[in-house]
mmCIF file of all heavy atoms in Angstrom:
data_model
loop_
_atom_site.group_PDB
_atom_site.id
_atom_site.type_symbol
_atom_site.label_atom_id
_atom_site.label_comp_id
_atom_site.label_asym_id
_atom_site.label_seq_id
_atom_site.Cartn_x
_atom_site.Cartn_y
_atom_site.Cartn_z
ATOM 1 N N GLU A 78 15.719 7.658 17.433
ATOM 2 C CA GLU A 78 15.553 7.221 18.817
ATOM 3 C C GLU A 78 14.059 7.054 19.094
ATOM 4 O O GLU A 78 13.439 7.834 19.816
ATOM 5 C CB GLU A 78 16.212 8.209 19.779
ATOM 6 C CG GLU A 78 17.719 8.315 19.570
ATOM 7 C CD GLU A 78 18.440 8.915 20.756
ATOM 8 O OE1 GLU A 78 18.000 8.706 21.901
ATOM 9 O OE2 GLU A 78 19.454 9.603 20.531
ATOM 10 N N VAL A 79 13.508 6.017 18.476
ATOM 11 C CA VAL A 79 12.072 5.735 18.561
ATOM 12 C C VAL A 79 11.872 4.259 18.875
ATOM 13 O O VAL A 79 12.787 3.443 18.765
ATOM 14 C CB VAL A 79 11.362 6.093 17.238
ATOM 15 C CG1 VAL A 79 11.475 7.581 16.947
ATOM 16 C CG2 VAL A 79 11.923 5.280 16.078
ATOM 17 N N GLU A 80 10.648 3.926 19.243
ATOM 18 C CA GLU A 80 10.346 2.555 19.655
ATOM 19 C C GLU A 80 10.525 1.555 18.519
ATOM 20 O O GLU A 80 10.998 0.433 18.718
ATOM 21 C CB GLU A 80 8.907 2.482 20.192
ATOM 22 C CG GLU A 80 8.545 1.112 20.769
ATOM 23 C CD GLU A 80 7.156 1.096 21.380
ATOM 24 O OE1 GLU A 80 6.405 2.085 21.197
ATOM 25 O OE2 GLU A 80 6.822 0.098 22.040
ATOM 26 N N SER A 81 10.161 1.952 17.294
ATOM 27 C CA SER A 81 10.251 1.040 16.132
ATOM 28 C C SER A 81 11.066 1.695 15.028
ATOM 29 O O SER A 81 10.521 2.127 13.994
ATOM 30 C CB SER A 81 8.848 0.682 15.631
ATOM 31 O OG SER A 81 8.079 0.089 16.651
ATOM 32 N N PRO A 82 12.397 1.763 15.192
ATOM 33 C CA PRO A 82 13.215 2.477 14.199
ATOM 34 C C PRO A 82 13.201 1.840 12.815
ATOM 35 O O PRO A 82 13.288 2.554 11.807
ATOM 36 C CB PRO A 82 14.616 2.437 14.821
ATOM 37 C CG PRO A 82 14.600 1.272 15.759
ATOM 38 C CD PRO A 82 13.205 1.230 16.289
ATOM 39 N N TRP A 83 13.081 0.506 12.739
ATOM 40 C CA TRP A 83 13.112 -0.144 11.425
ATOM 41 C C TRP A 83 11.828 0.109 10.643
ATOM 42 O O TRP A 83 11.810 0.002 9.417
ATOM 43 C CB TRP A 83 13.375 -1.643 11.571
ATOM 44 C CG TRP A 83 14.807 -1.915 11.929
ATOM 45 C CD1 TRP A 83 15.311 -2.203 13.159
ATOM 46 C CD2 TRP A 83 15.925 -1.874 11.040
ATOM 47 N NE1 TRP A 83 16.683 -2.353 13.095
ATOM 48 C CE2 TRP A 83 17.089 -2.161 11.816
ATOM 49 C CE3 TRP A 83 16.080 -1.630 9.688
ATOM 50 C CZ2 TRP A 83 18.369 -2.198 11.264
ATOM 51 C CZ3 TRP A 83 17.357 -1.676 9.126
ATOM 52 C CH2 TRP A 83 18.472 -1.959 9.910
ATOM 53 N N GLU A 84 10.758 0.440 11.332
ATOM 54 C CA GLU A 84 9.535 0.845 10.630
ATOM 55 C C GLU A 84 9.674 2.280 10.119
ATOM 56 O O GLU A 84 9.324 2.579 8.978
ATOM 57 C CB GLU A 84 8.330 0.732 11.566
ATOM 58 C CG GLU A 84 7.942 -0.683 11.930
ATOM 59 C CD GLU A 84 6.720 -0.728 12.817
ATOM 60 O OE1 GLU A 84 6.017 0.299 12.934
ATOM 61 O OE2 GLU A 84 6.463 -1.791 13.420
ATOM 62 N N LEU A 85 10.216 3.147 10.965
ATOM 63 C CA LEU A 85 10.364 4.553 10.571
ATOM 64 C C LEU A 85 11.374 4.723 9.443
ATOM 65 O O LEU A 85 11.215 5.594 8.578
ATOM 66 C CB LEU A 85 10.780 5.394 11.781
ATOM 67 C CG LEU A 85 10.858 6.908 11.557
ATOM 68 C CD1 LEU A 85 9.513 7.466 11.096
ATOM 69 C CD2 LEU A 85 11.325 7.616 12.825
ATOM 70 N N VAL A 86 12.421 3.890 9.428
ATOM 71 C CA VAL A 86 13.461 4.058 8.408
ATOM 72 C C VAL A 86 12.905 3.864 6.994
ATOM 73 O O VAL A 86 13.479 4.375 6.021
ATOM 74 C CB VAL A 86 14.640 3.090 8.675
ATOM 75 C CG1 VAL A 86 14.325 1.682 8.204
ATOM 76 C CG2 VAL A 86 15.922 3.595 7.997
ATOM 77 N N GLU A 87 11.790 3.167 6.873
ATOM 78 C CA GLU A 87 11.166 2.991 5.553
ATOM 79 C C GLU A 87 10.658 4.315 4.984
ATOM 80 O O GLU A 87 10.442 4.437 3.783
ATOM 81 C CB GLU A 87 10.013 1.993 5.656
ATOM 82 C CG GLU A 87 10.444 0.571 5.966
ATOM 83 C CD GLU A 87 11.380 0.014 4.904
ATOM 84 O OE1 GLU A 87 11.103 0.219 3.705
ATOM 85 O OE2 GLU A 87 12.397 -0.608 5.279
ATOM 86 N N HIS A 88 10.465 5.307 5.855
ATOM 87 C CA HIS A 88 10.002 6.629 5.411
ATOM 88 C C HIS A 88 11.163 7.587 5.125
ATOM 89 O O HIS A 88 10.941 8.717 4.686
ATOM 90 C CB HIS A 88 9.097 7.253 6.485
ATOM 91 C CG HIS A 88 7.842 6.487 6.737
ATOM 92 N ND1 HIS A 88 6.703 6.649 5.985
ATOM 93 C CD2 HIS A 88 7.548 5.523 7.657
ATOM 94 C CE1 HIS A 88 5.751 5.847 6.425
ATOM 95 N NE2 HIS A 88 6.243 5.142 7.446
ATOM 96 N N ILE A 89 12.397 7.143 5.384
ATOM 97 C CA ILE A 89 13.569 8.005 5.194
ATOM 98 C C ILE A 89 14.159 7.784 3.808
ATOM 99 O O ILE A 89 14.492 6.666 3.417
ATOM 100 C CB ILE A 89 14.636 7.710 6.275
ATOM 101 C CG1 ILE A 89 14.069 7.938 7.672
ATOM 102 C CG2 ILE A 89 15.867 8.575 6.031
ATOM 103 C CD1 ILE A 89 13.580 9.345 7.940
ATOM 104 N N ARG A 90 14.304 8.874 3.057
ATOM 105 C CA ARG A 90 14.873 8.801 1.712
ATOM 106 C C ARG A 90 16.259 9.438 1.614
ATOM 107 O O ARG A 90 17.047 9.055 0.747
ATOM 108 C CB ARG A 90 13.938 9.494 0.710
ATOM 109 C CG ARG A 90 12.566 8.874 0.611
ATOM 110 C CD ARG A 90 11.777 9.447 -0.560
ATOM 111 N NE ARG A 90 11.727 10.915 -0.543
ATOM 112 C CZ ARG A 90 10.881 11.625 0.196
ATOM 113 N NH1 ARG A 90 10.021 11.014 1.007
ATOM 114 N NH2 ARG A 90 10.882 12.944 0.146
ATOM 115 N N HIS A 91 16.534 10.417 2.466
ATOM 116 C CA HIS A 91 17.782 11.163 2.328
ATOM 117 C C HIS A 91 18.492 11.294 3.679
ATOM 118 O O HIS A 91 17.989 11.973 4.579
ATOM 119 C CB HIS A 91 17.512 12.566 1.776
ATOM 120 C CG HIS A 91 16.621 12.589 0.579
ATOM 121 N ND1 HIS A 91 16.891 11.880 -0.562
ATOM 122 C CD2 HIS A 91 15.438 13.235 0.349
ATOM 123 C CE1 HIS A 91 15.941 12.090 -1.454
ATOM 124 N NE2 HIS A 91 15.046 12.909 -0.921
ATOM 125 N N ALA A 92 19.648 10.667 3.812
ATOM 126 C CA ALA A 92 20.476 10.807 5.015
ATOM 127 C C ALA A 92 21.840 10.197 4.725
ATOM 128 O O ALA A 92 21.941 9.177 4.030
ATOM 129 C CB ALA A 92 19.832 10.113 6.218
ATOM 130 N N GLY A 93 22.888 10.835 5.257
ATOM 131 C CA GLY A 93 24.230 10.304 5.040
ATOM 132 C C GLY A 93 24.464 8.999 5.771
ATOM 133 O O GLY A 93 24.940 8.022 5.201
ATOM 134 N N ALA A 94 24.119 8.977 7.063
ATOM 135 C CA ALA A 94 24.207 7.765 7.876
ATOM 136 C C ALA A 94 23.013 7.752 8.824
ATOM 137 O O ALA A 94 22.626 8.792 9.357
ATOM 138 C CB ALA A 94 25.511 7.725 8.664
ATOM 139 N N ILE A 95 22.435 6.576 9.027
ATOM 140 C CA ILE A 95 21.248 6.441 9.868
ATOM 141 C C ILE A 95 21.586 5.553 11.062
ATOM 142 O O ILE A 95 22.074 4.435 10.898
ATOM 143 C CB ILE A 95 20.078 5.843 9.071
ATOM 144 C CG1 ILE A 95 19.794 6.689 7.826
ATOM 145 C CG2 ILE A 95 18.830 5.749 9.947
ATOM 146 C CD1 ILE A 95 18.770 6.079 6.876
ATOM 147 N N PHE A 96 21.319 6.057 12.255
ATOM 148 C CA PHE A 96 21.612 5.350 13.500
ATOM 149 C C PHE A 96 20.281 4.921 14.119
ATOM 150 O O PHE A 96 19.468 5.763 14.500
ATOM 151 C CB PHE A 96 22.392 6.257 14.445
ATOM 152 C CG PHE A 96 23.687 6.752 13.844
ATOM 153 C CD1 PHE A 96 23.699 7.850 12.983
ATOM 154 C CD2 PHE A 96 24.887 6.128 14.125
ATOM 155 C CE1 PHE A 96 24.873 8.296 12.407
ATOM 156 C CE2 PHE A 96 26.074 6.567 13.562
ATOM 157 C CZ PHE A 96 26.074 7.657 12.703
ATOM 158 N N LEU A 97 20.078 3.630 14.225
ATOM 159 C CA LEU A 97 18.772 3.116 14.615
ATOM 160 C C LEU A 97 18.751 2.660 16.073
ATOM 161 O O LEU A 97 19.596 1.871 16.500
ATOM 162 C CB LEU A 97 18.375 1.944 13.714
ATOM 163 C CG LEU A 97 18.154 2.320 12.240
ATOM 164 C CD1 LEU A 97 19.378 2.015 11.405
ATOM 165 C CD2 LEU A 97 16.937 1.608 11.675
ATOM 166 N N GLY A 98 17.773 3.175 16.828
ATOM 167 C CA GLY A 98 17.555 2.726 18.187
ATOM 168 C C GLY A 98 18.223 3.574 19.240
ATOM 169 O O GLY A 98 19.128 4.365 18.965
ATOM 170 N N ASN A 99 17.785 3.386 20.475
ATOM 171 C CA ASN A 99 18.259 4.205 21.582
ATOM 172 C C ASN A 99 19.674 3.866 22.047
ATOM 173 O O ASN A 99 20.259 4.628 22.827
ATOM 174 C CB ASN A 99 17.283 4.074 22.760
ATOM 175 C CG ASN A 99 15.914 4.658 22.438
ATOM 176 O OD1 ASN A 99 15.821 5.771 21.944
ATOM 177 N ND2 ASN A 99 14.863 3.907 22.701
ATOM 178 N N SER A 100 20.225 2.761 21.606
ATOM 179 C CA SER A 100 21.587 2.375 22.027
ATOM 180 C C SER A 100 22.618 2.624 20.936
ATOM 181 O O SER A 100 23.718 2.063 20.971
ATOM 182 C CB SER A 100 21.597 0.896 22.434
ATOM 183 O OG SER A 100 20.785 0.672 23.543
ATOM 184 N N THR A 101 22.267 3.464 19.945
ATOM 185 C CA THR A 101 23.175 3.710 18.815
ATOM 186 C C THR A 101 23.429 5.196 18.646
ATOM 187 O O THR A 101 22.911 5.837 17.724
ATOM 188 C CB THR A 101 22.588 3.125 17.512
ATOM 189 O OG1 THR A 101 22.012 1.854 17.760
ATOM 190 C CG2 THR A 101 23.689 2.975 16.458
#
């Protein structure tokens, strides 16, 4: 839940499911 989730997701290596943005 950040302003630029697609930028932050590049730093994520381990997660079962990733929900991007404030409306998800």
Side-chain angles (χ1 to χ4, degrees):
E78 297 199 33
V79 297
E80 185 176 10
S81 302
W83 286 101
E84 291 182 14
L85 185 59
V86 79
E87 293 300 316
H88 297 275
I89 301 300
R90 299 190 308 278
H91 312 304
I95 304 173
F96 302 82
L97 295 98
N99 294 311
S100 297
T101 318

